[in-house]
């Protein structure tokens, strides 16, 4: 099928920077909601990252009739019963600063050391096609919650996400390196393969 443009349904600029870089070699124009002039909001009332990504992508596809990709992602902290999970953006309220959210997670892990602080970022990506077909992919990045915020890069919970294998925080990674390692990078590369297959389909 012919794919000329894709709408990536996010209002999060941090996500959009990562997405643009990873999809840059697909040969398809990738537009944010803002760039596409779409003012849409989907109720994320699913129980899993996948459900929410499908809800977001499908709802916006119905509104604009284009191929729409959406990402639902978040941080799972094992010692906190996988909180904040699908509620990562809403944790302590949408308008609470990440400095406060991050410090709150550090405080809740007081007394825990090393692997007791294990956590992961999860990302599910859904593609909703105008013909009704849906594709989903998932990626994760394993790490630990650090003891303080570090790094100026990334967004959200990146400053407290420590990567033991690399000896640094996610907030200290360049965009290039984060995309190599991250949940979103992995899920997006899998989605890129799905999109390539769709592009090769005969009409
Ligand atoms: P959209 O729904 O508009 O895409 P959002 O920020 O509300 O934007 P989500 O509902 O998927 O997106 O929430 C994901 C939250 O999980 C995000 O706001 C961050 O708090 C956190 N998160 C996800 N990926 C992250 C990453 O790579 N680095 C840091 N925090 C991340």
């Amino acid at each position: 099928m012919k794919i000329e443009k894709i709408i990536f349904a996010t209002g999060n600029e941090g996500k959009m920077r990562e997405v643009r870089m990873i999809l840059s070699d697909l040969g398809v124009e990738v537009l944010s909601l803002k760039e596409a002039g779409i003012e849409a909001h989907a109720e994320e009332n699913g129980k899993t990252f996948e459900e929410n990504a499908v809800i977001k992508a499908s709802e916006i596809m119905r509104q604009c009739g284009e191929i729409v990709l959406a990402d639902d992602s978040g941080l799972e902290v094992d010692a906190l019963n996988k909180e904040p999970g699908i509620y990562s953006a809403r944790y302590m309220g949408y308008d609470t600063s990440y400095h406060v959210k991050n410090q709150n997670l550090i405080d809740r892990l007081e007394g825990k050391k090393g692997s007791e602080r294990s956590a992961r970022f999860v990302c599910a990506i859904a593609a909703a096609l105008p013909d009704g077909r849906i594709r989903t992919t998932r990626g994760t990045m394993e790490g630990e919650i650090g003891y303080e915020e570090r790094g100026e890069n990334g967004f959200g919970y990146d400053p407290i996400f420590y990567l033991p294998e690399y000896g640094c925080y996610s907030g200290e990674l360049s965009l290039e390196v984060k995309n190599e390692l991250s949940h979103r990078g992995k899920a997006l590369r899998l989605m890129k393969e799905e999109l390539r297959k769709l592009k090769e389909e005969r009409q």
Side-chain angles (χ1 to χ4, degrees):
M1 65 190 277
K2 211 163 144 197
I3 306 182
E4 279 168 359
K5 73 172 164 189
I6 286 174
I7 315 287
F8 198 95
T10 184
N12 180 324
E13 285 298 324
K15 278 187 189 178
M16 206 58 211
R17 270 196 299 278
E18 298 177 7
V19 168
R20 267 188 219 295
M21 181 165 180
I22 295 171
L23 296 183
S24 62
D25 61 351
L26 188 61
V28 169
E29 192 182 7
V30 182
L31 300 174
S32 67
L33 286 177
K34 207 167 148 191
E35 289 164 335
I38 300 171
E39 264 198 50
H41 183 74
E43 203 59 52
E44 291 174 39
N45 51 13
K47 289 190 189 63
T48 62
F49 292 108
E50 279 77 7
E51 275 178 33
N52 280 334
V54 170
I55 291 170
K56 250 193 266 189
S58 310
E59 175 66 32
I60 292 163
M61 182 277 290
R62 276 193 291 273
Q63 294 179 30
C64 69
E66 305 279 354
I67 298 182
V68 176
L69 258 54
D71 143 316
D72 194 54
S73 48
L75 176 68
E76 293 183 345
V77 181
D78 292 324
L80 303 179
N81 253 318
K82 305 213 170 161
E83 275 185 51
I86 59 168
Y87 302 104
S88 293
R90 289 164 267 182
Y91 185 61
M92 300 182 78
Y94 281 109
D95 294 335
T96 303
S97 77
Y98 274 92
H99 179 61
V100 170
K101 297 187 195 207
N102 284 335
Q103 192 56 50
N104 174 268
L105 288 176
I106 293 171
D107 293 346
R108 289 180 69 193
L109 292 181
E110 204 186 321
K112 306 233 181 284
K113 294 202 179 67
S115 60
E116 293 171 339
R117 305 176 73 89
S118 64
R120 74 198 52 73
F121 275 122
V122 181
C123 173
I125 304 215
L129 311 190
D131 64 12
R133 285 185 288 175
I134 299 282
R135 296 284 183 276
T136 59
T137 59
R138 166 182 267 247
T140 58
M141 173 163 76
E142 298 288 333
E144 291 170 7
I145 301 303
Y147 296 90
E148 60 184 5
E149 288 188 299
R150 280 212 208 151
E152 304 294 325
N153 302 336
F155 65 97
Y157 299 100
D158 281 325
I160 55 164
F161 194 80
Y162 179 66
L163 297 153
E165 279 175 65
Y166 300 91
C168 69
Y169 285 63
S170 184
E172 297 176 303
L173 300 176
S174 66
L175 188 60
E176 287 81 0
V177 175
K178 184 178 172 193
N179 279 344
E180 284 289 317
L181 310 178
S182 81
H183 50 312
R184 187 165 300 99
K186 290 172 189 164
L188 263 177
R189 283 190 291 273
L190 291 172
M191 183 54 77
K192 195 154 74 174
E193 287 319 305
E194 293 296 324
L195 293 169
R196 285 211 172 101
K197 280 187 227 158
L198 291 167
K199 267 180 104 177
E200 283 160 15
E201 265 179 12
R202 296 265 173 90
Q203 300 276 354

